[in-house]
Amino acid sequence: MPTFTASDGTEIAYHLRGEGEPLVVLPGGPMQASAYLGDLGGLAAHRQLVLLDLRGTGDSAMPADSATYRCDHLVDDVEMLRDHMGLAHMDLLAHSAGGSLAMLYAARYPQRVSRLALVTATPWALGMPPTAEDRLTAARSREGEPWFAEAFPAFEAWLKGTGDFGPVLAPFFYGRWDDAAQEHYARGDDQFNDEAGDIYGSEGAYDPPATRTALSRLAAPVLVLAGELDGSPRPETARRTAEVFPNAEVAVQPGAGHYPWLDDAQWFVRRVVAFLEGSGGAHPAPEPRLAAR
């Protein structure tokens, strides 16, 4: 397992999957170990995935100062990884909460980013947090599912702050609540650093106006990929995210939730590879269909 030492002395681990040109991957959570990403539905057959375990997660060490869990501070670790690997610039893929970290990195080091893929990325860094109505709209589209009647009242209670997040809510985050999704959710139990997750987006982490201004000058091509059934972000939010960048394209994966590589690995890999190879714009992704659920 390769590691490098961050500027404050914290030992940071990363995992290599596949061969070929490196693709640096930032996990979400926030502050979830990178193991949940697997090989991103087979993307490792096309690129060498460099899966970063953020400090205090997975195989990376706990920092002496917990304040360094904040998203803007983690940018330094991403830059140290790039330097450690000897990359003049890099392709970067980020999932969920990791999207805000990737955006802060691209804002600070635009010359180091060759291509940026934001996968179901929650754009907190742009001042666009998910709203309760966004989540409820997406959740209501699942009304035909056999688990909906039990799960939806609990989902509403969680959004209102009168109920806790629990396993009953998990199906809303997957396009299909099948064996693979259930196994994926169950494995996540011990992958989170909850203390770090609370600090990740704490006060001072984001400066949306400054980030928007910096990203409006980013030369690198950007892919903003959303799941049709995802509530955070919804496809509409993904489109608003793409508008921040001068050279961005949007893909909405049909029938997908928050983990699109699990819902249709072939569609996901084909679309991401097309973008990374510079042919994404030649074969635009279909617009989302209405969920027949």
Side-chain angles (χ1 to χ4, degrees), residues 2 24 59 96 105-106 125 145 147 186 198 222 250 271 274 288 292:
V24 174
D59 293 309
S96 190
Y105 179 84
E145 300 280 7
W147 42 263
D198 289 340
V222 178
V250 178
R271 189 64 182 86

Side-chain angles (χ1 to χ4, degrees), residues 142 145 171 174-178 181-182 255 257 262-264 293:
R142 315 297 294 277
E145 300 280 7
Y174 296 86
R176 297 191 310 270
W177 189 234
D178 55 13
Q182 292 173 40
L262 292 175
D263 297 319
D264 187 340
R293 299 173 187 271

Side-chain angles (χ1 to χ4, degrees), residues 243-255:
E243 290 172 357
V244 172
F245 301 92
N247 186 15
E249 58 192 81
V250 178
V252 179
Q253 182 168 327

Side-chain angles (χ1 to χ4, degrees), residues 16 43 63 74 83 90 140 149 151 180 190 201-202 218 227 231 234 272:
L16 301 176
L43 188 58
L74 294 172
D83 184 68
M90 60 186 176
R140 290 188 187 103
D190 58 355
S202 58
L218 182 69
R234 296 189 65 216
V272 173

